[in-house]
Amino acid sequence: LLTMPYQDRRGRTCGFLDIEEKEKSGKFLRRYLILDKVAGLLEYYMDNPLNLPDGTAPVCQINLSYIQNVFDARKQRPKIEFCFAILANSRHYFMQANDENDMDGWVDSINNASKITVPKKNLQRVAEQEDDAERMPGGYRAEIVGGMVVKTPIEMSDSDSDAENGKSRVSPMTRRKQALGLKPVKTGFCVKQGAVVKNWKRRYFVLDHEGLSYYKSNTDTDPIKVISLPDILHVKPYTGDLPRDNLFEVITTNRTFLVQADSPEEMQEWIQAINDTVNSFRRECPIQRKGVCD
């Protein structure tokens, strides 16, 4: 099971959450939180700061001394799973965690950092009445393109040498998988390094019994690239000099892909899932010919 938040190399509590950035908007956007007890700050960014240009400022910064309360807010927001709220500066910051453990972890961590002693699940009455309009799903996310924030799912240019130019269309491979009803082994967002331009971009990864694919977003129908199972030699944690947490290597016959997960647990899950799928393929297909079992 994925357990977040996690501690980075500087001892800060970090992780991704969906946050209602504009109060009472009902729109939850994916953001990267950093709880820094030493600096006395809780701040969040568009992405992990390691993936952003040097000196990028946080989207929001909250002084821990201004936090009055942190509480389970599912009663106030019944349509949002694993929702909790931070009361600071006379405003409620509503946040959606990834699961129950993630929510409890963040509530405990923020309470401890701000020296709040109220129980984490003491449901407090919110002063303002919330709008009961339909909420956008928590999967809604923003990306950064050329330093600008793009808040709608759109097609964007990609610097990967593997990406095709021109209008996207559904490939025969995708149509075949859809027809066969092949279910993925694992899916999720990770950050990967480009092949030619060594920048880092967030991509949606899908592992199935034919290969490891990655997409621009989870709404795309065709991948940027598919790494076929016969081409994958090994997957292991990264042990080089790059200062990145949760980084692992997908070693293939002609390239090593560097991929960064959102947490140590998620990294181990990806490594285990890919290696298990590759090993299963090898047992079933002792003679491998570009992904075809004779």
Side-chain angles (χ1 to χ4, degrees):
L1 293 177
L2 175 61
T3 302
M4 291 177 70
Y6 75 96
Q7 299 289 319
D8 69 5
R9 298 180 184 184
R10 295 168 56 183
R12 303 177 303 179
T13 302
C14 305
F16 282 95
L17 291 172
D18 293 319
I19 300 175
E20 187 184 46
E21 201 163 276
K22 184 177 179 181
E23 192 172 13
K24 301 175 69 173
S25 68
K27 296 181 180 180
F28 284 73
L29 306 177
R30 198 71 169 167
R31 296 291 182 256
Y32 189 82
L33 259 71
I34 298 177
L35 174 61
D36 191 336
K37 290 181 65 176
V38 175
L41 295 172
L42 174 67
E43 53 191 14
Y44 57 84
Y45 294 79
M46 298 295 298
D47 196 353
N48 187 326
L50 291 173
N51 306 323
L52 301 175
D54 291 342
T56 299
V59 176
C60 180
Q61 191 176 75
I62 304 172
N63 190 311
L64 294 181
S65 64
Y66 295 161
I67 295 178
Q68 300 167 258
N69 194 9
V70 185
F71 58 94
D72 182 330
R74 286 175 288 189
K75 184 175 181 180
Q76 288 75 21
R77 295 297 183 86
K79 297 179 181 179
I80 306 297
E81 282 191 308
F82 316 121
C83 185
F84 67 96
I86 299 171
L87 175 59
N89 300 322
S90 301
R91 177 192 160 175
H92 288 86
Y93 296 83
F94 286 92
M95 304 189 179
Q96 182 181 29
N98 298 286
D99 55 31
E100 188 87 23
N101 290 333
D102 188 27
M103 182 183 73
D104 289 346
W106 276 109
V107 171
D108 284 340
S109 296
I110 300 171
N111 275 336
N112 292 335
S114 55
K115 296 181 174 59
I116 296 171
T117 58
V118 295
K120 65 179 180 293
K121 291 187 177 180
N122 182 18
L123 301 182
Q124 301 294 326
R125 182 171 57 87
V126 179
E128 291 125 9
Q129 294 296 321
E130 296 296 334
D131 186 6
D132 285 330
E134 289 294 323
R135 311 301 185 194
M136 293 188 69
Y140 184 91
R141 55 185 284 270
E143 293 186 348
I144 297 177
V145 181
M148 299 297 292
V149 180
V150 180
K151 293 188 176 180
T152 54
I154 60 172
E155 293 287 348
M156 291 175 288
S157 61
D158 187 82
S159 62
D160 278 310
S161 61
D162 306 309
E164 295 183 2
N165 293 322
K167 186 177 181 180
S168 174
R169 62 184 181 84
V170 179
S171 67
M173 178 188 68
T174 299
R175 285 198 296 269
R176 184 172 68 83
K177 287 185 178 182
Q178 292 172 344
L180 293 174
L182 294 178
K183 294 184 178 180
V185 176
K186 182 172 175 60
T187 63
F189 283 98
C190 292
V191 175
K192 67 169 288 295
Q193 188 183 58
V196 179
V197 179
K198 301 298 182 180
N199 56 357
W200 297 82
K201 289 199 173 183
R202 195 158 176 82
R203 295 290 177 245
Y204 187 72
F205 282 76
V206 175
L207 172 66
D208 58 31
H209 293 286
E210 292 191 342
L212 178 66
S213 309
Y214 56 88
Y215 301 72
K216 290 180 182 178
S217 76
N218 58 347
T219 60
D220 283 4
T221 57
D222 283 311
I224 296 171
K225 184 174 179 63
V226 178
I227 309 170
S228 64
L229 293 183
D231 290 337
I232 299 176
L233 302 178
H234 189 51
V235 184
K236 65 182 184 67
Y238 175 77
T239 56
D241 298 328
L242 289 175
R244 285 180 171 265
D245 297 314
N246 318 319
L247 195 62
F248 63 97
E249 299 176 288
V250 180
I251 303 170
T252 71
T253 53
N254 57 11
R255 176 184 168 189
T256 296
F257 294 82
L258 295 182
V259 183
Q260 182 181 23
D262 288 348
S263 72
E265 292 79 15
E266 186 75 357
M267 179 189 74
Q268 291 299 332
E269 287 183 11
W270 275 111
I271 292 173
Q272 186 72 45
I274 299 171
N275 281 331
D276 286 351
T277 305
V278 170
N279 290 336
S280 176
F281 173 84
R282 289 171 180 167
R283 287 193 298 269
E284 295 173 4
C285 307
I287 300 176
Q288 301 167 14
R289 192 179 65 194
K290 284 296 178 184
V292 177
C293 297
D294 291 335

